[in-house]
Amino acid sequence: MAVAEDNSSAPVAPQDPRTGSAPAETIRVDVHLLDRLMNLVGELVLTRNQIAQFSARQNDPNLVTPTQQLNLLTSELQEEVMKTRMQAISNVFDKFPRVVRDVAMSCGKQVQIEMEGKGTELDKNLLEAIKDPLTHIVRNSVDHGIEMPEQRVASGKRPEGHIK
């Protein structure tokens, strides 16, 4: 006799909003470890290139398959390690609405911000490098690029400015 289990009360894993599937398990990894892995993979790529050049000069059919396999594995490893350093630009973008609101209030302006591409991923170091300049551009856009509500209305515009 078969017994059916009732799993209706079993907990359901929340879905990842980006992929719509169950989230992958994650762990925290020290950035210095990721940097070290990137450096090691870079060295491996250089060594792979040297082996490929050596193999091409030897014209030895016994080296062709292992060299191709090494090339494939090294490329896959490099790609996967690079993925570990990627972060969504939303980490930076999510701070902009408050920056816009605060600067607009201090300047007496009415401003809305609209952003696209929040899911775009960039290398962590690149994201850190562009965070402050982008924030400066957003602040300056509100401060110097949006007119006062009265000036906007006098120019036939809506009183609220938009940053896109």
Side-chain angles (χ1 to χ4, degrees):
M1 175 163 121
V3 177
E5 287 186 35
D6 180 15
N7 290 332
S8 61
S9 63
V12 177
Q15 290 189 341
D16 184 332
R18 291 184 297 172
T19 63
S21 62
E25 291 185 35
T26 60
I27 61 169
R28 289 183 182 256
V29 178
D30 188 332
V31 174
H32 299 298
L33 176 60
L34 290 178
D35 290 341
R36 177 82 174 123
L37 280 172
M38 280 294 291
N39 291 337
L40 289 171
V41 167
E43 293 296 323
L44 182 62
V45 167
L46 293 174
T47 304
R48 173 205 58 192
N49 293 343
Q50 290 172 340
I51 291 171
Q53 288 175 354
F54 174 79
S55 174
R57 285 194 304 259
Q58 297 304 308
N59 292 325
D60 183 350
N62 293 324
L63 287 176
V64 172
T65 301
T67 302
Q68 289 174 341
Q69 186 67 17
L70 176 64
N71 184 41
L72 178 66
L73 291 172
T74 304
S75 296
E76 286 180 17
L77 180 62
Q78 182 181 28
E79 186 176 319
E80 293 301 317
V81 169
M82 289 177 71
K83 283 181 188 177
T84 64
R85 297 183 47 84
M86 302 300 276
Q87 292 184 343
I89 199 165
S90 63
N91 294 343
V92 173
F93 280 9
D94 289 346
K95 295 173 175 66
F96 291 163
R98 181 176 180 160
V99 169
V100 167
R101 185 184 71 235
D102 292 348
V103 174
M105 285 179 58
S106 71
C107 295
K109 298 179 180 181
Q110 299 172 15
V111 184
Q112 289 293 317
I113 186 169
E114 182 180 326
M115 297 171 283
E116 294 179 9
K118 286 185 174 186
T120 303
E121 291 187 330
L122 298 174
D123 181 82
K124 179 184 179 353
N125 289 342
L126 179 60
L127 208 54
E128 286 296 318
I130 67 171
K131 179 174 60 174
D132 289 340
L134 282 178
T135 303
H136 183 73
I137 290 169
V138 169
R139 287 177 163 279
N140 280 353
S141 297
V142 175
D143 195 18
H144 303 292
I146 305 288
E147 307 97 331
M148 297 298 287
E150 308 80 44
Q151 292 172 317
R152 294 182 59 79
V153 170
S155 299
K157 301 177 184 176
R158 296 189 324 220
E160 182 179 85
H162 292 272
I163 297 174
K164 230 176 172 178

